[in-house]
């Protein structure tokens, strides 16, 4: 069956890196993969086209598509716009509108890039963690929130809140992923201090009864932050709330050396998803042809695995990426002496060539 993919290039390096990912998708036609792609603007490009960082037509396309591939949004040109017109607002809105409550961020260290990590190679080599972050709840969305005058001074406040159903659905996603991996799940919270975390832990334990094969453990977020740099290989899958996941997933991503290597998926209850690199629009290098397209190409692999149930095609892409790294191809962000420095297009071409071999 022909799959429909909504392609949202976004801003900055977005168009450059997604172009390479599309070349990889095109190359999959040789293996019988059928798809049609339709483009629509988002972020600053959406504002330029329709005065809205998430134009109505873009949202409609995203809702109709089987999956969404996104580049990145944002840029200095848009930083002075009113808050609701800013590119990042378009991103938050599309996640919310599509009900993408589970954010999957793998932190995988490719052996060839061990030297690029800020930790010692023996601490990170073989690292393969999947962080499942709840994406539509928690303190980022909780009410009441605001800044008001109390006792003659300004007070800022937010609300950390999770309902049982919100915890349950993301826990199911995390256990499901653990089942396909090494069957270890660590739930991260702060149940020693926060009631919200107490409930989180209780529900995760309850959901765990449906997955007796998965070894469930619990860790306070402060300890998890420490363990991630002390002994990161102890983790297989981590499940956590929105704010803790925001911070821990950035920390975990740096263990692997480059922000240009890491993909992400945001899924709804039916595994429909939006796929994007974890990095931003990198305005400092936009238009220079030097951005690393591998995070976006690996996002396509995740799209195939999690939404389109095409694991074999996903593995082909991941193997092709491994191959080009083994062949020594490097964009500037992952370059080390003795390797072959290439630009965005040449890196995309190398992955396509490796796919065809
Ligand atoms: P960034 O991720 O865009 O860039 C951080 C640094 O990493 C820069 O030096 C950049 O050149 C480099 N970098 C990022 N991606 C790279 C790649 N593929 N290849 C090589 N180098 C790469 O973060 P930032 O500079 O803080 O933000 C820039 C803009 O992106 C801002 O407008 C921000 O709001 C936006 N942003 C968007 C998203 C998103 O679309 N999901 C995420 C984060 C930031």
């Amino acid at each position: 069956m022909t799959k429909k993919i909504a392609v949202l290039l976004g801003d900055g390096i977005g168009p450059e890196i997604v172009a390479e990912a599309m070349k990889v998708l095109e190359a999959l036609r040789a293996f019988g993969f059928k798809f049609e792609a339709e483009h629509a603007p988002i972020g600053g490009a959406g504002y330029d086209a329709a005065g809205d960082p998430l134009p109505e037509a873009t949202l409609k396309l995203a809702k109709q598509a089987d999956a969404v591939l996104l580049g990145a949004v944002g840029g200095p040109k848009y930083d002075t716009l009113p808050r609701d017109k800013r590119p990042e607002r378009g991103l938050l809105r599309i996640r919310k509108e599509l009900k993408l409550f589970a954010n999957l961020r793998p932190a995988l260290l490719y052996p060839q890039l061990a030297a690029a990590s800020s930790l010692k190679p023996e601490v990170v080599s073989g690292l393969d963690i999947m962080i499942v972050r709840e994406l539509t709840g928690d303190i980022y969305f909780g009410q009441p929130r605001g800044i008001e005058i109390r006792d003659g001074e300004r007070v800022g406040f937010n609300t950390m809140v999770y309902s049982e159903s919100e915890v349950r659905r993301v826990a199911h996603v995390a256990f499901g992923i653990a089942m396909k991996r090494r069957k270890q799940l660590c739930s991260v919270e702060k149940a020693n201090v926060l009631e919200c975390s107490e409930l989180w832990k209780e529900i995760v334990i309850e959901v765990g009864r449906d997955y007796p094969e998965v070894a469930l453990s619990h860790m306070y977020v402060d300890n998890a932050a420490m363990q991630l740099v002390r002994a990161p290989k102890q983790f297989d899958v981590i499940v956590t709330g929105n704010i803790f996941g925001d911070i821990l997933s950035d920390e975990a991503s740096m263990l692997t050396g480059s922000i240009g290597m890491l993909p992400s998926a945001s899924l709804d209850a039916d595994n429909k998803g939006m796929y994007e690199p974890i990095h931003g629009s990198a305005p400092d290098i936009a238009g220079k042809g030097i951005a690393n397209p591998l995070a976006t190409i690996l996002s396509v692999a995740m799209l195939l695995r999690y939404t389109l149930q095409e694991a074999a095609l996903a593995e082909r892409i991941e193997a092709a990426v491994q191959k080009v790294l083994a062949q020594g191809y490097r964009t500037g962000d992952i370059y080390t002496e003795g390797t072959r420095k290439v630009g965005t297009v040449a890196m995309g071409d190398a992955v396509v060539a490796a796919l065809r071999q």
Side-chain angles (χ1 to χ4, degrees):
M1 218 173 76
T2 303
K3 300 294 182 186
K4 186 168 176 176
I5 301 175
V7 181
L8 316 181
L9 303 176
D11 311 313
I13 60 170
E16 300 167 50
I17 52 179
V18 177
E20 301 314 307
M22 293 310 291
K23 283 202 296 210
V24 170
L25 264 174
E26 284 296 334
L28 293 182
R29 291 191 195 277
F31 304 106
F33 179 57
K34 294 194 181 76
F35 77 100
E36 54 184 53
E38 203 172 319
H39 286 64
I42 191 168
Y47 178 77
D48 289 340
D52 185 346
L54 180 61
E56 204 52 48
T58 301
L59 180 59
K60 193 169 160 209
L61 174 72
K63 281 185 172 168
Q64 285 167 351
D66 293 301
V68 181
L69 179 65
L70 175 89
V73 302
K77 183 178 154 194
Y78 307 103
D79 284 348
T80 50
L81 288 174
R83 215 158 261 287
D84 64 323
K85 299 285 184 203
R86 291 201 198 147
E88 295 75 11
R89 195 49 74 98
L91 200 55
L92 289 181
R93 259 176 51 209
I94 195 168
R95 287 175 181 158
K96 193 87 186 161
E97 290 277 354
L98 297 181
K99 302 187 174 61
L100 305 174
F101 66 86
N103 183 226
L104 278 48
R105 279 197 186 194
L108 179 74
L109 185 83
Y110 290 90
Q112 298 85 357
L113 300 182
S117 172
S118 48
L119 295 191
K120 295 188 199 97
E122 63 268 26
V123 177
V124 288
S125 66
L127 183 81
D128 179 3
I129 304 176
M130 176 67 85
I131 297 192
V132 180
R133 164 189 169 194
E134 201 288 332
L135 200 59
T136 53
D138 204 353
I139 196 162
Y140 292 167
F141 295 95
Q143 295 289 347
R145 60 190 295 161
I147 300 174
E148 64 184 28
I149 306 283
R150 292 182 194 168
D151 297 330
E153 65 170 346
R154 286 191 305 156
V155 173
F157 56 97
N158 293 84
T159 303
M160 180 175 266
V161 53
Y162 267 121
S163 65
E164 289 177 78
S165 57
E166 283 176 312
V167 180
R168 195 167 285 123
R169 65 184 183 176
V170 76
H172 275 294
V173 171
F175 276 105
I177 288 168
M179 283 296 290
K180 292 185 189 159
R181 294 172 45 106
R182 301 191 298 278
K183 298 191 172 62
Q184 294 166 34
L185 178 64
C186 180
S187 168
V188 171
E189 25 65 11
K190 188 77 181 159
N192 50 341
V193 191
L194 303 169
E195 285 78 2
C196 185
S197 282
E198 216 178 291
L199 180 72
W200 173 282
K201 186 173 177 181
E202 201 179 294
I203 302 297
V204 171
I205 291 171
E206 194 186 300
V207 172
R209 294 194 190 110
D210 293 348
Y211 303 86
E213 284 173 61
V214 176
L216 173 64
S217 60
H218 306 272
M219 202 178 271
Y220 299 140
V221 63
D222 41 351
N223 187 22
M226 191 262 279
Q227 295 297 337
L228 270 175
V229 287
R230 194 188 72 85
K233 283 188 275 182
Q234 68 184 284
F235 296 107
D236 176 16
V237 182
I238 290 175
V239 63
T240 188
N242 204 345
I243 187 167
F244 298 155
D246 190 0
I247 298 162
L248 293 183
S249 61
D250 266 24
E251 184 188 0
S253 72
M254 267 326 290
L255 302 177
T256 70
S258 172
I259 201 167
M261 290 299 300
L262 296 176
S264 77
S266 305
L267 303 179
D268 75 2
D270 304 313
N271 277 340
K272 175 174 168 171
M274 187 162 84
Y275 296 83
E276 55 183 312
I278 68 157
H279 58 72
S281 57
D284 52 331
I285 57 167
K288 294 187 180 162
I290 57 172
N292 186 349
L294 294 179
T296 317
I297 289 171
L298 290 166
S299 298
V300 169
M302 289 190 87
L303 184 157
L304 290 161
R305 174 171 291 118
Y306 291 103
T307 291
L308 303 187
Q309 309 300 325
E310 296 275 10
L313 293 177
E315 278 161 28
R316 275 184 196 276
I317 294 178
E318 287 156 357
V321 168
Q322 292 258 24
K323 194 164 192 173
V324 299
L325 293 174
Q327 287 166 339
Y329 291 100
R330 301 283 189 278
T331 42
D333 57 313
I334 50 174
Y335 175 76
T336 44
E337 232 178 82
T339 57
R340 289 158 75 173
K341 198 184 228 178
V342 292
T344 311
V345 173
M347 184 60 105
D349 288 344
V351 175
V352 169
L355 260 179
R356 292 198 172 127
Q357 276 161 16

